[in-house]
Amino acid sequence: MSQREFALRAGLAAALSLAAFGAVAAPPDDPEIGRLSQRLTVLEASPDTAQVGTFERYRARQAIEDARQARSRDRAEAVRLADRRVETAEIVVRTQLAQRELDRLDRERSELLVEASRRDADRARAEAERLRVQAQIQAEEAERLRQAADQEAAARQQAEGLLDDVAGKQAAKLRAARERDAELARKEAELLGTDAPPATPPKPKPKKK
């Protein structure tokens, strides 16, 4: 606020105070002027109107004082002017109070929107974190299942290798035993002077149907 505006406000406030004091100290000599003065006093009495409509209230108070001091022939016109000034002050005060309330509601709405946006962002972050943790758990479970499947396949392959090894050893032992039997049979045949039996017994002929 500039010094000029401050001085103007101070002068208006002082003038309003003096006018109000004069209205209280000197009872009005006209009922209409008294009614206007009472309307303006009520308008100025509320703490909510202390900083609104200052200039309009000052002009209304001046118009009331002019009407009070006007000559009889000019009294009616001066009262009408004072009435318009008081009505103007009332309208301006109500308008500025309404605008102040709208500004307050706008600020409250903005704060609520900011708070709602913050809460939405917090919920979105919490949901994203939940999905991330869930995906990580699923990935870890899939990796565990894959490792288990790899271990099972390796164990199965190892078991099959062991079985193949055992089967190969058993087949080798069986071949060796057959070869020993055939060798013994051949030597026995040589001793007896007969033909040696075949190394493996002949397959039986299929029966005729």
Side-chain angles (χ1 to χ4, degrees):
M1 180 185 298
S2 64
Q3 293 183 353
R4 182 178 179 183
E5 292 178 349
F6 180 79
L8 179 60
R9 288 179 179 270
L12 291 175
L16 288 173
S17 299
L18 290 174
F21 178 77
V24 174
D29 53 356
D30 187 286
E32 185 66 19
I33 295 177
R35 182 180 63 83
L36 294 175
S37 180
Q38 182 63 28
R39 285 169 58 187
L40 191 58
T41 300
V42 170
L43 190 64
E44 294 172 341
S46 174
D48 295 335
T49 63
Q51 301 298 328
V52 294
T54 305
F55 180 69
E56 288 76 15
R57 288 189 283 114
Y58 169 75
R59 294 183 65 189
R61 180 64 64 188
Q62 285 294 107
I64 292 173
E65 291 301 318
D66 292 343
R68 182 179 289 114
Q69 297 175 10
R71 291 176 296 184
S72 298
R73 63 180 184 180
D74 299 329
R75 178 69 58 87
E77 183 64 26
V79 169
R80 282 195 294 272
L81 177 60
D83 183 77
R84 287 196 297 271
R85 294 287 173 79
V86 171
E87 184 178 3
T88 300
E90 291 173 339
I91 292 173
V92 169
V93 167
R94 288 197 298 267
T95 301
Q96 292 185 3
L97 288 178
Q99 185 62 47
R100 179 184 293 180
E101 180 65 14
L102 286 176
D103 293 341
R104 185 189 67 80
L105 293 175
D106 284 341
R107 288 192 301 270
E108 183 177 350
R109 176 177 176 273
S110 298
E111 292 173 358
L112 291 175
L113 289 175
V114 170
E115 179 65 17
S117 298
R118 186 188 64 79
R119 292 180 179 177
D120 290 341
D122 291 341
R123 284 195 294 268
R125 283 193 295 269
E127 180 66 14
E129 179 64 17
R130 185 187 67 82
L131 293 176
R132 186 190 67 79
V133 171
Q134 182 177 356
Q136 182 177 357
I137 293 174
Q138 291 177 350
E140 292 175 353
E141 180 66 14
E143 179 64 17
R144 186 186 65 80
L145 293 175
R146 187 189 65 78
Q147 292 179 358
D150 291 344
Q151 292 175 357
E152 182 180 356
R156 183 170 59 252
Q157 185 176 1
Q158 183 179 6
E160 291 175 353
L162 291 175
L163 291 175
D164 291 341
D165 187 45
V166 171
K169 290 181 179 179
Q170 292 295 332
K173 290 180 179 180
L174 181 59
R175 285 195 300 270
R178 287 178 177 176
E179 289 176 357
R180 286 196 301 270
D181 290 342
E183 180 65 20
L184 291 174
R186 186 182 62 79
K187 290 180 179 181
E188 183 179 359
E190 289 178 352
L191 292 174
L192 297 176
T194 60
D195 294 334
T200 57
K203 295 181 180 180
K205 295 180 179 181
K207 294 181 180 180
K208 295 181 180 180
K209 295 182 180 180

